[in-house]
Amino acid sequence: MFSLKREDFGPGFDFGVAMAAHQIEGGQTDGRGSSIWDSFAATPRNTRNADTGKVACDHYNRWPEDLDLIRDGGFDGYRFSFSWPRVIPEGTGPSNPKGLDFYDRLIDGMLERGIKPYATLYHWDLPSSLQDRGGWMNRDTTAAFADYAALIGHRFKDRLETIATVNEPWCVAFLSHFLGIHAPGYRDVRAASRAMHHILLAHGRAIDALRAEGAKNLGIVVNLEKAEPYSSSPEDQEAAELGDALFNQWYLGGVCKGEYPQSIVDIIEDHLPRDWQADMDVISRPLDWIGVNYYTRSLYKFDASVPVFPFTQHRGDLEKNDLGWETVPEALTEFLLRVSNDYTNLPLYVTENGMSESNDAKRIDYFDRHLRAILDAKDKGVDVRGYFAWSLLDNFEWAEGFSSRFGIVEMDYASQKRTPKPSYFAFSKMLLGRALEVR
Ligand code: FCB
């Protein structure tokens, strides 16, 4: 069980769970277009065990049961994402009525159950037709994204609690275009540099489009990872500073201040789109909140033989999850303080946090320690408004496929049976103030 009570977080603090369309929906029918994750996962060696999101948790059909789990657990909110290719199959052009109807049912289903819909527009499933034209390397994708945002804003704005434009721009840009680990799987510094800029421009243009539709409570979700030196050498110290600029400062600085860290600009300027400076105003449009996803840290070791960014990344010897990610709760406190001291006065949400782990007792301890880390930040004056556990269900963990399990509810993929884990009951005990009956 958790050592905390809901009251510790004060009134108006929302607890929720987070999931993303491609990781759970399946339902590749009813006019849904192809996304970059469909073809990426269908290509050999891109995902563990060649797993794909074709069926996943069949949330497209089984969402009522999932919403019941969220309500019964005592959660206030569900952070979900719209699938762009379900809504606009070719990325631009005609929308898909059946796709829009699905999100009508899902959102109305939340409201009927007293669950607040926290929406995200882009959680990585770019329509394939846009990738055919260069995807995030192509500036035109930012205009397509603004049109998609307008469509969602127009239809759903009165029923959504908040809208985030993009989930984790570092993953969209760097993990997917430099490290090649996520779709579209590029390993190219020019591709990455363009994506790093265009994903933020897309965010800013979507904010304008949403505001023009009268949508409220707009934000973005960044992922932050603590960058620490591998040793006490000055070279490793510098490598960690560069790593922090690349992972954390690029996105926070762009969005909150209209500024990129000079250390990174110096390295990639030749690859950035011409006149990128002229976009910084749009990129830094005023927002209503910022979401922070936080999981772990990385240790940076200087390595002169590595081109572009001269370091390698390592894990230390702290407790790890089954993907090897170390548990470092105090870094969450530090990040919340840092974002609110150095970047913004806006309300913050912890929009994702959780553990891939077969031993659920370790997951309970992980959540408990990170919830405490949030209380520490609140005690120091940071305006944190909510916490979303990743994730409700075990789901398609991208390149890690189904073998990685982040859920507080276990999935039996063959039967599609959902079974709450003790961590689900730990949340419900804290949120409802009483033990839920095990079903
Ligand atoms: C985040 C993603 C989410 C999930 C968790 C484990 O980076 O936003 O979809 O993969 O990590």
Side-chain angles (χ1 to χ4, degrees):
M1 292 299 114
F2 293 148
S3 63
L4 301 156
K5 296 199 267 319
R6 184 193 258 273
E7 300 75 68
D8 298 333
F9 295 83
F13 188 97
D14 278 351
F15 283 92
V17 289
M19 300 200 282
H22 191 80
Q23 295 179 274
I24 54 167
E25 282 182 1
Q28 300 187 1
T29 54
D30 290 346
R32 173 192 175 282
S34 167
S35 87
I36 55 173
W37 267 96
D38 299 331
S39 57
F40 185 76
T43 306
R45 291 187 301 282
N46 281 343
T47 65
R48 197 176 292 275
N49 303 320
D51 288 339
T52 76
K54 237 186 174 120
V55 178
C57 307
D58 192 25
H59 184 72
Y60 186 65
N61 296 303
R62 293 171 197 264
W63 59 268
E65 190 184 339
D66 298 335
L67 296 188
D68 288 350
L69 281 165
I70 297 172
R71 177 200 55 206
D72 294 349
F75 293 99
D76 309 295
Y78 171 24
R79 179 172 171 252
F80 72 105
S81 78
F82 289 95
S83 158
W84 186 353
R86 190 182 294 295
V87 170
I88 305 176
E90 299 297 313
T92 56
S95 59
N96 172 26
K98 287 190 172 162
L100 289 164
D101 290 350
F102 167 67
Y103 292 109
D104 271 331
R105 291 195 295 279
L106 182 69
I107 292 165
D108 291 346
M110 289 184 228
L111 297 174
E112 279 158 20
R113 290 169 179 79
I115 300 167
K116 297 178 190 172
Y118 283 83
T120 299
L121 298 183
Y122 187 69
H123 203 127
W124 309 353
D125 41 359
L126 187 75
S128 299
S129 305
L130 294 178
Q131 188 62 47
D132 297 341
R133 285 174 262 150
W136 294 115
M137 297 177 285
N138 182 349
R139 187 181 179 90
D140 295 348
T141 301
T142 68
F145 187 62
D147 290 345
Y148 160 56
L151 177 79
I152 298 290
H154 184 74
R155 178 145 173 156
F156 299 104
K157 61 173 185 286
D158 298 329
R159 288 175 280 168
L160 300 176
E161 183 73 14
T162 62
I163 304 177
T165 53
V166 174
N167 178 72
E168 302 193 347
W170 177 85
C171 292
V172 176
F174 204 77
L175 187 66
S176 310
H177 294 81
F178 191 86
L179 300 176
I181 293 171
H182 278 189
Y186 280 88
R187 300 207 301 117
D188 185 286
V189 63
R190 179 176 162 102
S193 305
R194 278 157 195 266
M196 283 164 71
H197 183 68
H198 288 148
I199 192 62
L200 294 183
L201 180 60
H203 153 77
R205 295 183 79 166
I207 292 290
D208 284 349
L210 288 163
R211 286 240 162 82
E213 290 293 338
K216 302 249 159 29
N217 242 340
L218 312 179
I220 186 170
V221 169
V222 296
N223 51 320
L224 303 179
E225 187 178 280
K226 174 114 202 228
E228 289 190 286
Y230 185 83
S231 77
S232 56
S233 76
E235 290 83 8
D236 288 356
Q237 182 67 42
E238 248 181 63
E241 277 163 26
L242 193 64
D244 184 68
L246 182 62
F247 203 113
N248 303 314
Q249 296 169 33
W250 182 272
Y251 305 96
L252 282 171
V255 165
C256 298
K257 300 181 178 171
E259 254 172 48
Y260 290 146
Q262 194 55 43
S263 57
I264 304 299
V265 171
D266 287 346
I267 293 175
I268 63 171
E269 186 146 31
D270 290 348
H271 304 293
L272 282 169
R274 204 182 301 255
D275 287 338
W276 58 270
Q277 294 90 340
D279 295 327
M280 298 315 285
D281 251 14
V282 177
I283 286 178
S284 58
R285 287 288 193 252
L287 300 176
D288 302 302
W289 57 275
I290 302 271
V292 170
N293 291 355
Y294 172 74
Y295 290 93
T296 189
R297 71 166 180 178
S298 215
L299 303 180
Y300 288 77
K301 192 174 191 309
F302 176 73
D303 185 342
S305 73
V306 179
V308 191
F309 303 109
F311 54 66
T312 52
Q313 280 169 264
H314 303 264
R315 301 289 176 195
D317 40 26
L318 303 179
E319 188 199 0
K320 295 183 180 62
N321 75 6
D322 61 19
L323 295 172
W325 305 2
E326 291 175 285
T327 300
V328 196
E330 59 280 10
L332 176 56
T333 313
E334 287 169 30
F335 270 130
L336 293 170
L337 281 163
R338 180 173 166 201
V339 173
S340 75
N341 290 336
D342 298 356
Y343 289 98
T344 182
N345 297 320
L346 291 173
L348 305 182
Y349 288 88
V350 175
T351 31
E352 279 181 34
N353 176 241
M355 190 181 207
S356 174
E357 183 53 59
S358 53
N359 175 350
D360 194 57
K362 280 176 74 179
R363 178 181 288 104
I364 293 177
D365 183 57
Y366 180 98
F367 282 132
D368 197 55
R369 292 167 68 193
H370 286 81
L371 288 169
R372 278 201 174 275
I374 293 172
L375 281 185
D376 288 347
K378 276 172 70 73
D379 283 349
K380 296 187 169 113
V382 183
D383 183 7
V384 192
R385 300 278 176 95
Y387 177 85
F388 293 80
W390 185 274
S391 183
L392 177 72
L393 306 176
D394 293 332
N395 59 49
F396 175 67
E397 181 44 40
W398 309 112
E400 299 294 338
F402 294 108
S403 58
S404 159
R405 290 178 176 268
F406 275 91
I408 58 174
V409 173
E410 180 173 328
M411 277 298 301
D412 176 342
Y413 292 104
S415 68
Q416 287 291 337
K417 188 170 160 35
R418 282 102 161 112
T419 308
K421 302 178 190 179
S423 51
Y424 172 90
F425 293 108
F427 269 110
S428 67
K429 175 89 197 312
M430 176 178 75
L431 296 175
L432 301 167
R434 61 181 160 80
L436 255 195
E437 287 198 9
V438 183
R439 327 179 210 195

